[in-house]
Amino acid sequence: MKEKNIIYLDNAATTYMRKQTMLAMEPYFTTQYGNPSSAHEFGMEADRVMNYGRQTLADILNAESEEIYFTSGGTESDNWALYGCAYANKQKGRHIITSVLEHPAVLSTCKWLEQLGFEITYLGVNTDGVISLEELEHAIRRDTILISVMTANNEIGTIQPIEEIGRIAKKHGILFHTDAVQAFCHIPIDVKRAHIDLLSVSSHKFGGPKGMGFLYIRKGVEIIPFMHGGHQEKGMRAGTGNVPGVVGMTKAAEYAALHMKECMKRETMLRSYLFRRIINEIPFVKLNGSWEHRLPGNLNLCFAYVDGGTLLEMLDMKGICVSTGSACAAGEAGPSGVLKAIGLSDELAYSAIRMTLSSENTREDMDRTADVLKETVWELRCKSAAFMQKIGRKI
Ligand code: PLP
């Protein structure tokens, strides 16, 4: 199921795939390899499983099956939602509202749209990482065509008030897109209740294969196609359908949706236990993001007087996988933009690590992580002149 002796606490980066999911995909590579666009029975079988997937995924969101468009993952879904709506609606206006907390898949697309003549308002967040609904209302203009705010953040796990945002967007007749890559199949989402027009999903965040995802597009939303070519995905996203990918994503989603409640409970319990141990046993630790409005498996903490990157490496050597920020931001210079947005100094932001649990983790994993963190953080702090001065000792 997982590497022996490894404690994997990086589930926001990617998740492991259950054997059953892989087994479900296998025939679609080997014996049932038909092209879903073919007119013969062999191909039509592939088309049927694609449509079964569409229906299953739609049901989880309270959407309709024809509103699900398969993509290569979260990045593509975000790109398509933003630029597709921007271009289809540019006669109505050129103003888009998003938040400073968004994933690079949204922020970089916004930067690119700015170069193409669109105007973007980036909403700030409070110290918990939550946007202000008043600020959102204030930012709305006559030429606003789209609001894009993520359901849950990938670094600090903060859950945004998407039902309220959807209500505001609907009241003003503006499209509402949400990046639900970290949230889908982890917390309940109802697109009708939240008045969501577009929603991005990535399969490898909930036990499905990488390079697979979908974009929910509510019926009637004006959006231009993402890929030009064949008639696949109703002519909106051309290219031969990724049948094994759809089967894997569907199988993973079925399992995750069925077990969502118990997983949420278990992850919350494990995460709270780990947090309590850390906060009680290691001084100068700070929680990043809201405790209340938070993904169940997310723990993002600053360990003052420690460099997060070095801590990550040392934990890695001891068999514990964590991250310093999002995998997509790895390699970027400077402190995390998300941590800066919630008001952290550069120094504190550099001391953060993200631990993202799954229900596969155990209480023993949490105990070992807390023990290793305690000894490693102490070891690193002993090399920090600032820390030794703080506790009144010589280095
Ligand atoms: N959006 C969010 C919030 C993410 O966390 C990620 C990946 O980490 C993406 C988008 C991109 O998804 P993908 O890896 O499927 O391209």
Side-chain angles (χ1 to χ4, degrees):
M1 183 194 302
K2 60 177 185 177
E3 276 294 311
K4 250 200 182 144
N5 299 326
I6 290 282
I7 298 179
Y8 186 74
L9 302 180
D10 201 13
N11 286 277
T14 200
T15 56
Y16 96 104
M17 199 196 272
R18 292 165 60 246
K19 190 121 189 200
Q20 291 89 324
T21 304
M22 244 200 38
L23 290 176
M25 291 172 72
E26 206 240 30
Y28 297 92
F29 287 113
T30 52
T31 51
Q32 288 167 259
Y33 52 85
N35 185 324
S37 301
S38 294
H40 44 68
E41 187 50 35
F42 198 50
M44 283 192 278
E45 165 59 15
D47 193 43
R48 274 194 289 275
V49 296
M50 299 267 288
N51 286 330
Y52 172 78
R54 246 183 266 284
Q55 187 64 61
T56 305
L57 297 161
D59 287 346
I60 296 172
L61 287 171
N62 191 21
E64 314 300 323
S65 68
E66 59 272 33
E67 295 174 319
I68 304 297
Y69 293 80
F70 296 125
T71 67
S72 67
T75 301
E76 180 184 323
S77 299
D78 284 343
N79 272 259
W80 184 11
L82 286 156
Y83 112 94
C85 287
Y87 264 76
N89 294 280
K90 65 177 190 285
Q91 304 307 340
K92 292 184 198 153
R94 287 181 159 258
H95 181 234
I96 294 169
I97 300 172
T98 188
S99 87
V100 290
L101 230 58
E102 302 299 309
H103 187 270
V106 166
L107 290 179
S108 302
T109 308
C110 285
K111 292 281 168 228
W112 179 61
L113 285 170
E114 278 176 325
Q115 286 178 23
L116 297 175
F118 290 87
E119 266 186 76
I120 318 281
T121 298
Y122 298 89
L123 300 174
V125 290
N126 64 16
T127 50
D128 272 352
V130 183
I131 69 152
S132 145
L133 296 172
E134 290 87 68
E135 197 186 329
L136 170 63
E137 287 256 23
H138 264 107
I140 292 173
R141 312 190 321 206
R142 288 172 72 102
D143 61 342
T144 307
I145 50 173
L146 176 69
I147 296 170
S148 178
V149 176
M150 69 202 318
T151 308
N153 183 261
N154 43 301
E155 286 187 47
I156 54 175
T158 306
I159 299 169
Q160 299 295 341
I162 54 164
E163 289 188 12
E164 287 82 349
I165 299 170
R167 228 172 285 137
I168 292 171
K170 190 175 161 61
K171 185 174 84 183
H172 292 271
I174 300 166
L175 292 174
F176 174 36
H177 164 248
T178 187
D179 174 340
V181 166
Q182 294 290 340
F184 180 74
C185 274
H186 291 281
I187 56 171
I189 305 172
D190 182 327
V191 288
K192 292 200 174 75
R193 231 178 109 103
H195 302 294
I196 295 166
D197 296 300
L198 304 113
L199 177 142
S200 303
V201 167
S202 173
S203 134
H204 71 108
K205 306 294 187 180
F206 55 88
K210 294 170 181 58
M212 190 66 225
F214 70 85
L215 179 64
Y216 155 79
I217 308 175
R218 187 182 54 73
K219 253 181 275 169
V221 165
E222 289 188 41
I223 183 164
I224 62 165
F226 186 72
M227 292 278 195
H228 303 276
H231 59 274
Q232 294 94 346
E233 301 301 304
K234 299 205 276 306
M236 297 295 280
R237 201 272 187 185
T240 302
N242 177 355
V243 185
V246 171
V247 170
M249 173 165 66
T250 306
K251 189 83 181 165
E254 273 176 329
Y255 182 86
L258 187 67
H259 295 93
M260 193 190 299
K261 267 201 188 133
E262 61 195 75
C263 286
M264 286 174 67
K265 212 167 140 193
R266 181 170 169 79
E267 287 168 24
T268 306
M269 181 273 286
L270 288 171
R271 176 251 269 163
S272 306
Y273 176 73
L274 177 60
F275 181 58
R276 264 198 317 274
R277 273 213 56 191
I278 293 173
I279 212 82
N280 287 335
E281 297 174 36
I282 309 177
F284 311 115
V285 173
K286 180 193 179 307
L287 173 76
N288 297 316
S290 163
W291 184 250
E292 204 187 342
H293 306 287
R294 190 182 198 93
L295 286 174
N298 178 293
L299 202 52
N300 188 314
L301 302 171
C302 286
F303 292 89
Y305 309 104
V306 162
D307 173 60
T310 314
L311 181 56
L312 179 151
E313 281 169 25
M314 292 190 60
L315 292 177
D316 190 25
M317 283 191 281
K318 295 173 186 180
I320 301 173
C321 305
V322 301
S323 87
T324 46
S326 75
C328 296
E332 272 177 21
S336 149
V338 169
L339 297 182
K340 293 290 291 172
I342 59 169
L344 265 60
S345 64
D346 283 8
E347 201 186 337
L348 256 190
Y350 278 124
S351 77
I353 61 166
R354 175 187 76 178
M355 292 172 273
T356 44
L357 285 50
S358 84
S359 56
E360 297 293 318
N361 287 122
T362 60
R363 183 109 156 188
E364 290 70 46
D365 289 347
M366 301 300 104
D367 277 324
R368 198 173 132 216
T369 303
D371 292 343
V372 171
L373 267 171
K374 199 171 155 181
E375 85 190 13
T376 313
V377 167
W378 175 250
E379 215 178 300
L380 289 172
R381 281 179 175 167
C382 285
K383 295 179 191 151
S384 152
F387 177 70
M388 292 315 255
Q389 196 183 1
K390 174 93 186 163
I391 62 166
R393 285 213 219 159
K394 283 202 176 121
I395 219 166

